[in-house]
Amino acid sequence: MTTGHAAGQGPLAGVRVVELAGIGPGPFAGMLLADLGADVVRVDRPGGASLGIDPSHDVTNRNKRSVIVDLKAPDGPARVLDLASRADVLIEGNRPGVAERLGVGPEDCHARNPRLVYGRMTGWGQQGPLAHRAGHDVAYIALTGALGMIGAPGQPPPAPANLLGDYAGGSLYLVVGVLAALHHARESGVGQVVDAAIVDGVAHLSAMIHGMLAAGGWQDRRAANLLDGGCPYYGTYETADGGHMAVGALEPQFYDAFVDLLGLEEFREARRDWTRWGELREAVAARFKARTRAEWTAVFEGTDACVAPVLSLREAPHHPHLEARGTFTDHGGITQPAPAPRFSATPTAVRTGPALPGAHTREVARDWDIPALVTDPAQPAPNPPSRGD
């Protein structure tokens, strides 16, 4: 396997990935593979996606390259199959059967490349009564029981953005599956299909909770348990200025430090007495409302009370700890999370900004030795091999 990338750009350097353009978990999975060093070529469709932001700001397409292929054109499927024949991984996020109808399903691709790992990202999965139904993150997590665990009793569960379903239960499970199947393909020479369903991934994330439920250690209702806001020393509280503090003082020594710093020493024994939890919650809430978020941050700074300020998206990159670690980075004028996790021997980086649709067609045609990708002689010349954009 050879790529247009230089060496030392992550542990997946040398791995070729074809990403059939979509929205949500598919592009994020492609970004993660690209962050890890894979040469990810995104196959964009003419006209772009129905949902999405300005491509120049879509950081889920960073570290990738893009070609445009119209899969409904007579030569479209053949061009994708040419890419698949030279790839290690292909990921797609269409409804079941769509890729097959377009001529780029697993059988078509494996006929050209038996070692290919074919990753499929859907909400409902490839089989089941809902497999062909439309859906989005909030519906997927609703059916798994995960959404029903979130929020205050007596109020509708709040939508937790699309982090829990699309990305945690979807993208991350697709990437885990793809990497496991890639290992198997390299050992055996045999590729396979990875069916990553958001409902499966989110259900899997709740494994510990199901164990606690079976053991009688979790009540199947909201805000009634140790980790769902039912416990007064694990949750969030409003401050005098309308900010919030997050509290996670679960262990005895952390709890003791927490109540001491709040000036609530009389509640030291309330930690294990759930009959006093209502009283304790009221006392903690009143204390936090007496000072600003900044003042409480200073009180708990440098302690093991497990208390932190609740920061906004714009505030987070400026927190001293995250600044010291480089958790966020600036690239091309966009502040964004840096690649994660970190590697001692094969460090990762944001190498390039978001791949604009079709910007790398000639470059990919050259690097992957697929001259047929270039169907328009007027297309711009390849970007410089330095890939420093």
Side-chain angles (χ1 to χ4, degrees), residues 1 3 11-17 37-40 88-89 182 186 368:
M1 295 171 292
T3 75
L12 294 185
V15 173
R16 286 178 169 174
V17 178
D39 182 8
V40 178
D88 302 288
V89 175
L182 182 61
R186 289 183 166 178
W368 286 37

Side-chain angles (χ1 to χ4, degrees), residues 22 35 49 137 187 211 243 267 335 345-346 365 378:
D35 283 355
D137 177 290
E187 291 291 316
F267 285 96
T335 300
T346 54

Side-chain angles (χ1 to χ4, degrees), residues 21-24 27 42-55 58 61 357:
I23 60 172
R42 178 177 166 94
V43 179
D44 280 298
R45 64 195 69 176
S50 58
L51 293 176
I53 62 172
D54 178 349
D58 187 353
N61 286 326

Side-chain angles (χ1 to χ4, degrees), residues 6 33 45 55 61 88 105 173 195 245 264 302 327 336 364 384:
L33 293 168
R45 64 195 69 176
N61 286 326
D88 302 288
Y173 277 85
D195 174 6
M245 299 295 291
L264 295 174
T327 299
Q336 56 196 279
V364 173

Side-chain angles (χ1 to χ4, degrees), residues 274-289:
W274 65 267
T275 64
R276 298 186 65 192
W277 277 10
E279 178 189 4
L280 173 59
R281 184 185 304 280
E282 291 182 4
V284 172
R287 279 288 196 274
F288 275 119
K289 282 285 285 184

Side-chain angles (χ1 to χ4, degrees), residues 200-274:
D200 295 347
V202 174
H204 193 261
L205 288 169
S206 65
M208 182 191 76
I209 303 298
H210 277 278
M212 296 173 69
L213 185 67
W218 189 275
Q219 300 182 61
D220 196 12
R221 56 192 179 92
R222 278 180 281 143
N225 301 283
L226 192 65
L227 302 175
D228 65 356
C231 172
Y233 46 90
Y234 193 93
T236 57
Y237 291 91
E238 187 176 0
T239 57
D241 56 346
H244 295 87
M245 299 295 291
V247 177
L250 291 176
E251 290 82 357
Q253 67 274 27
F254 304 150
Y255 174 83
D256 289 346
F258 168 61
V259 293
D260 288 350
L261 288 164
L262 280 179
L264 295 174
E265 295 88 348
E266 66 271 25
F267 285 96
R268 270 180 173 261
E269 301 306 314
R271 174 179 169 274
R272 306 184 75 174
D273 184 358
W274 65 267

Side-chain angles (χ1 to χ4, degrees), residues 17-385:
V17 178
V18 176
E19 175 196 329
L20 301 188
I23 60 172
F28 188 86
M31 183 200 77
L32 181 50
L33 293 168
D35 283 355
L36 296 176
D39 182 8
V40 178
V41 172
R42 178 177 166 94
V43 179
D44 280 298
R45 64 195 69 176
S50 58
L51 293 176
I53 62 172
D54 178 349
S56 66
H57 286 77
D58 187 353
V59 297
T60 64
N61 286 326
R62 71 188 186 191
N63 288 339
K64 301 178 185 178
R65 300 192 280 182
S66 169
V67 302
I68 291 180
V69 175
D70 183 357
L71 276 168
K72 296 181 179 180
D75 65 339
R79 293 167 69 195
V80 170
L81 293 176
D82 283 344
L83 286 165
S85 71
R86 291 160 173 78
D88 302 288
V89 175
L90 182 147
I91 58 177
E92 61 96 10
N94 298 295
R95 293 197 210 186
V98 171
E100 285 84 349
R101 290 198 298 272
L102 292 172
V104 294
E107 289 189 11
D108 301 296
C109 290
H110 283 143
R112 295 285 301 277
N113 181 0
R115 299 172 63 95
L116 183 73
V117 172
Y118 195 103
R120 316 199 81 167
M121 182 75 261
T122 60
W124 305 117
Q126 297 298 311
Q127 297 87 29
L130 296 178
H132 294 275
R133 293 279 297 275
H136 278 296
D137 177 290
V138 70
Y140 308 140
I141 66 174
L143 288 196
T144 66
L147 182 60
M149 293 193 298
I150 302 171
Q155 299 180 20
N162 66 334
L163 302 179
L164 176 56
D166 279 355
Y167 297 146
S171 304
L172 297 185
Y173 277 85
L174 175 61
V175 170
V176 168
V178 161
L179 294 180
L182 182 61
H183 172 74
H184 173 264
R186 289 183 166 178
E187 291 291 316
S188 67
V190 179
Q192 61 183 301
V193 177
V194 178
D195 174 6
I198 293 173
V199 289
D200 295 347
V202 174
H204 193 261
L205 288 169
S206 65
M208 182 191 76
I209 303 298
H210 277 278
M212 296 173 69
L213 185 67
W218 189 275
Q219 300 182 61
D220 196 12
R221 56 192 179 92
R222 278 180 281 143
N225 301 283
L226 192 65
L227 302 175
D228 65 356
C231 172
Y233 46 90
Y234 193 93
T236 57
Y237 291 91
E238 187 176 0
T239 57
D241 56 346
H244 295 87
M245 299 295 291
V247 177
L250 291 176
E251 290 82 357
Q253 67 274 27
F254 304 150
Y255 174 83
D256 289 346
F258 168 61
V259 293
D260 288 350
L261 288 164
L262 280 179
L264 295 174
E265 295 88 348
E266 66 271 25
F267 285 96
R268 270 180 173 261
E269 301 306 314
R271 174 179 169 274
R272 306 184 75 174
D273 184 358
W274 65 267
T275 64
R276 298 186 65 192
W277 277 10
E279 178 189 4
L280 173 59
R281 184 185 304 280
E282 291 182 4
V284 172
R287 279 288 196 274
F288 275 119
K289 282 285 285 184
R291 299 187 188 182
T292 66
R293 190 187 70 176
E295 289 173 325
W296 283 119
T297 299
V299 168
F300 288 101
E301 186 74 27
T303 75
D304 279 343
C306 300
V307 177
V310 178
L311 303 182
S312 72
L313 289 173
R314 293 192 185 278
E315 290 176 316
H318 303 292
H319 187 276
H321 179 77
L322 304 185
E323 281 190 330
R325 283 187 58 80
T327 299
F328 291 86
T329 187
D330 290 299
H331 190 280
I334 302 174
T335 300
Q336 56 196 279
R342 305 180 187 202
F343 300 86
S344 60
T346 54
T348 58
V350 178
R351 304 181 303 275
T352 67
L356 301 181
H360 308 96
T361 301
R362 285 184 175 272
E363 183 181 316
V364 173
R366 177 197 65 205
D367 293 343
W368 286 37
D369 192 21
I370 309 175
L373 274 179
V374 182
T375 59
D376 181 3
Q379 284 181 323
N383 291 339

